[in-house]
Amino acid sequence: MTDSGLASLPASDRPDTAARLREALLAASFTADGLLDLLGAPAYAALARSETVPALRATRGDTPLETLVRLFLLQQPVPYARVAHVLPVEDALESGWLTRVGGDEVAATVDVRPYGGPDGEDWFIVSDLGCAVGGAGGVGQHDEGVVLGVGGASTTLAGITVRTPVAAALDLGTGSGIQALHAAQHATRVTATDLNPRALHITALTLALSGAPAADLREGSLFEPVRDDETFDLIVSNPPFVISPGARLTYRDGGMGGDDLCRSLVQQAGERLNEGGFAQFLANWQHVAGEDWQDRLRSWVPRGCDAWIVQREVQDVTQYAELWLRDAGDHRGDPADYQARYDAWLDEFEARKVKAVGFGWITLRRTGTAESVVTVEEWPHPVEQPLGDAIRAHFERLDYLREHDDAALLEGHFKLTAEVVQEQVGLPGAEDPEHVVLRQHRGMRRATKVDTVGAGFAGVCDGTLSAGRILDAIAQLMGESPTLLRDRTPAQIRLLVEQGFLEPVG
């Protein structure tokens, strides 16, 4: 790996300078809310699309906030005297956050981007110049050692991560440090690893500028920097999951054949988790001709772990190759080179009999039980982020169902989850609906068909009566045998509990 072509980075061992910079940024309202107020919604949204003209037009004044936006977000040189009114400019120059250009101007050496934390915290994400999503340079980086800022994948992983207080958290492939920053809010100790030493340096800058505790930063691939005797309560990773021919770009290409990097990551995580601990990853996986993709993923799950794997999107091999060729900016280069790279991707997929590639989330939870529960599903529909609480609740419900046989289930009490509505579908004027649908308006926003008994059961679940007594009452109303209804309904109750429509009470 080489850093040729990449700018030098600010010193990461100057917490005093980072603290003064943070204070100055906040004093100028250089925050997510401050940017929206200054730029307005259209320019703010345009900047997220890497379109800088509206933001340049909105920052033609000389207020402190306009100065900082031009300096750090738009990467424009700014007169020294103007910056000196806003920042401790000599400290910033000495530590390397700024550099002199021209006669009397200074420029940023890194992109510094405001980021709002989950509880309203004002954080700052550091990345290489032009490498923040929506940065002045846009997407399309060829430097191998480049460190990107926060993109959709980063925020997705942060949103699905279970946020319970833990003793030890591990961020594999930390990049700009966004996952380590989130983990620092609820973990006593955070370890962050990356194959790219530049990424570790930038993570240190992100944490310091955000006012977060320093992490234990270690260089190496995947679990290599982790000692054999180390275990964690939380492991998160937005790994270089792109299935590509070769390891051209460190930040995205795993360097292993096919989806082996993601498989190895998942398989090795189990032995690194403490009892009850979670491991959560973003991943890509191959859809291979003649092979069930769900079975492929089930084979990745380590023993002693429950798993919930959600496929959010599928692309055919041509769409997939084009996505990542554009990500690297190859479509803007020599057409012959672009075609050769495109051919190389398709040759790789053809050799492996890959027809499509899936994108999604993988969550493991260490249980230590003999019988693990592995759920693999396709869910391309909109969800409500953050999902961390919903994911934690999913595994808690698995525990409940594992510990309760049908007889115990009928003795249990349940209540309908908040914001679940019932929809009836049928012809106008018909005496009975063709089918009944329960729909969630929170979390995964699932919808499931239920029969008349299931709809009636869910409708009266308020935690007061046991499931068995509710079914007995329904049997009496319908003129059915209570015994037969008790025999055939537990499977439907289990499904409604597993999918989060019903919550056990007590």
Side-chain angles (χ1 to χ4, degrees):
M1 200 261 310
T2 177
D3 288 342
S4 61
L6 296 176
S8 60
L9 293 172
S12 61
D13 57 352
R14 295 286 301 275
D16 54 335
T17 300
R20 286 194 291 273
L21 279 174
R22 173 176 172 78
E23 183 178 344
L25 297 178
L26 294 177
S29 296
F30 188 64
T31 63
D33 290 340
L35 289 184
L36 184 58
D37 290 341
L38 171 68
L39 301 178
Y44 191 83
L47 190 59
R49 301 191 300 270
S50 300
E51 296 292 348
T52 59
V53 172
L56 286 167
R57 292 174 61 87
T59 56
R60 289 178 288 190
D62 60 358
T63 66
L65 182 54
E66 288 170 296
T67 297
L68 294 175
V69 171
R70 283 197 163 244
L71 188 65
F72 287 117
L73 266 64
L74 302 176
Q75 279 109 54
Q76 300 292 307
V78 179
Y80 177 101
R82 185 173 164 186
V83 176
H85 287 296
V86 186
L87 298 177
V89 65
E90 285 300 326
D91 285 348
L93 285 166
E94 183 181 349
S95 290
W97 291 90
L98 303 178
T99 186
R100 290 185 179 272
V101 293
D104 62 350
E105 293 184 318
V106 296
T109 60
V110 288
D111 184 296
V112 175
R113 192 151 300 247
Y115 179 87
D119 296 317
E121 302 94 342
D122 289 315
W123 292 338
F124 300 97
I125 308 301
V126 181
S127 64
D128 274 313
L129 291 174
C131 296
V133 174
V139 178
Q141 296 296 327
H142 293 274
D143 288 305
E144 183 182 348
V146 75
V147 179
L148 300 188
V150 175
S154 305
T155 55
T156 293
L157 179 59
I160 68 172
T161 300
V162 175
R163 300 294 176 193
T164 53
V166 295
L170 172 64
D171 176 16
L172 290 176
T174 188
S176 61
I178 179 60
Q179 309 305 330
L181 179 57
H182 275 279
Q185 310 310 302
H186 63 102
T188 303
R189 176 173 57 87
V190 176
T191 302
T193 72
D194 205 290
L195 181 63
N196 181 3
R198 189 177 183 86
L200 297 176
H201 191 117
I202 282 182
T203 291
L205 298 175
T206 289
L207 294 172
L209 198 59
S210 298
D216 179 4
L217 305 176
R218 305 182 192 177
E219 182 180 345
S221 177
L222 302 181
F223 289 101
E224 286 177 2
V226 179
R227 297 191 306 271
D228 291 341
D229 61 345
E230 283 186 290
T231 55
F232 301 87
D233 307 297
L234 174 67
I235 300 172
V236 293
S237 184
N238 177 18
F241 52 63
V242 177
I243 301 171
S244 60
R248 179 180 167 211
L249 298 174
T250 304
Y251 70 86
R252 70 169 204 191
D253 300 324
M256 297 185 185
D259 52 17
D260 283 354
L261 182 136
C262 290
R263 176 186 55 79
S264 297
L265 186 62
V266 174
Q267 289 180 336
Q268 294 174 26
E271 62 186 8
R272 299 295 185 179
L273 282 176
N274 292 324
E275 189 80 10
F278 286 90
Q280 299 185 263
F281 315 108
L282 301 185
N284 284 184
W285 43 78
Q286 299 172 150
H287 285 229
V288 179
E291 181 179 309
D292 186 303
W293 69 270
Q294 294 186 334
D295 288 343
R296 179 183 188 84
L297 291 175
R298 287 189 184 94
S299 73
W300 291 7
V301 178
R303 289 186 178 182
C305 289
D306 288 340
W308 186 14
I309 302 173
V310 181
Q311 180 168 274
R312 296 287 290 155
E313 183 182 358
V314 180
Q315 290 187 343
D316 67 46
V317 292
T318 59
Q319 291 174 307
Y320 190 81
E322 291 162 15
L323 169 66
W324 296 110
L325 287 168
R326 289 180 175 274
D327 171 79
D330 291 316
H331 62 299
R332 297 196 294 262
D334 184 290
D337 288 344
Y338 175 81
Q339 183 173 343
R341 292 188 187 281
Y342 201 151
D343 269 332
W345 284 70
L346 297 186
D347 285 345
E348 179 81 3
F349 286 134
E350 185 176 340
R352 295 180 177 276
K353 300 181 180 179
V354 176
K355 302 300 181 184
V357 177
F359 299 65
W361 321 323
I362 298 177
T363 299
L364 306 177
R365 190 200 43 174
R366 186 78 183 177
T367 64
T369 59
E371 295 184 10
S372 297
V373 178
V374 178
T375 303
V376 184
E377 63 177 323
E378 187 165 14
W379 191 254
H381 311 294
V383 299
E384 182 191 44
Q385 285 274 37
L387 274 170
D389 286 346
I391 289 175
R392 175 185 49 77
H394 168 86
F395 287 93
E396 289 175 349
R397 293 192 300 270
L398 290 186
D399 283 342
Y400 177 89
L401 294 172
R402 181 163 33 213
E403 295 165 1
H404 290 73
D405 59 17
D406 286 355
L409 199 68
L410 292 174
E411 292 297 320
H413 293 240
F414 303 91
K415 66 178 181 179
L416 193 64
T417 305
E419 297 195 40
V420 171
V421 298
Q422 177 178 302
E423 301 172 356
Q424 297 187 150
V425 181
L427 295 174
E431 183 176 347
D432 296 313
E434 292 180 22
H435 57 262
V436 179
V437 174
L438 298 181
R439 187 179 301 276
Q440 301 168 348
H441 284 272
R442 304 296 300 272
M444 291 293 288
R445 294 177 174 167
R446 293 186 185 277
T448 188
K449 290 182 181 179
V450 292
D451 60 18
T452 304
V453 173
F457 180 87
V460 298
C461 276
D462 61 2
T464 304
L465 299 175
S466 68
R469 290 187 62 185
I470 293 174
L471 290 179
D472 291 344
I474 291 174
Q476 185 175 6
L477 287 172
M478 298 179 63
E480 290 197 25
S481 165
T483 302
L484 292 178
L485 203 59
R486 280 173 171 256
D487 285 344
R488 67 180 175 87
T489 308
Q492 190 169 188
I493 296 175
R494 286 185 179 278
L495 180 63
L496 292 175
V497 172
E498 180 181 348
Q499 294 189 344
F501 290 93
L502 295 177
E503 296 177 350
V505 175

